[in-house]
Amino acid sequence: TNNQFLSEPDLYLNTLGIPNMHAEVSAAFREAVKCFRYELFTAAVTMLGKASEGAWLELGASLLASVPAGQELKFGKQKAVLEDPMIGTFRKIEAVLAIYDHQDVFRPVALASGIRLQELRSVAVWSDAVRDSRNTIHFGVTAATPNTYEKLAALLIGAVSNVRVLYRLKE
């Protein structure tokens, strides 16, 4: 049934409704839902974190690809952050926000997508909650609130609207 989208990966992806999602992001969402179904909350939030990071990286690459000729140097620092595998998710999200903050360049994108910088910052707040929860995979690290069924359900439900924003902007 349609009301079981948190326990069935295909229904969940259908609920997201993002046809142009990268295969690796889609696979991470699938695995997150499978883990959630079996109450493997740390594994579920880890895969949700991977999906979130992938969506942000896709958006960052898309924004950088749309920078007009002659303005690429303006975004060199952010590009280096996004392409460095040793830099964490938090800094990569900051880099994407810094890129989009240049409304002198991205105003046409903002108008076409209907997404303001403040809305993207709200998605970053959700992503930070996912990242905080995911960080429990590190020894000795605890999340601000325990990774429970209710918390993971809220993060998975929150992913629907938040990831849609990232992909709408990417489009």
Side-chain angles (χ1 to χ4, degrees), residues 128-155:
D128 194 46
V130 170
R131 187 185 57 79
D132 174 69
S133 299
R134 182 207 48 93
N135 280 344
T136 61
I137 64 170
H138 301 294
F139 182 78
V141 175
T142 57
T145 58
N147 290 334
T148 61
Y149 177 89
E150 294 80 9
K151 179 180 176 183
L152 265 291
L155 290 174

Side-chain angles (χ1 to χ4, degrees), residues 68-86:
Q71 295 193 38
E72 299 90 354
L73 291 176
K74 186 186 291 190
F75 302 99
K77 180 180 174 186
Q78 290 84 11
K79 183 177 190 231
V81 168
L82 291 172
E83 293 176 351
D84 188 338
M86 300 307 290

Side-chain angles (χ1 to χ4, degrees), residues 38-50:
Y38 292 106
E39 298 183 13
L40 301 169
F41 302 132
T42 301
V45 79
T46 299
M47 297 314 298
L48 184 58
K50 179 179 181 175

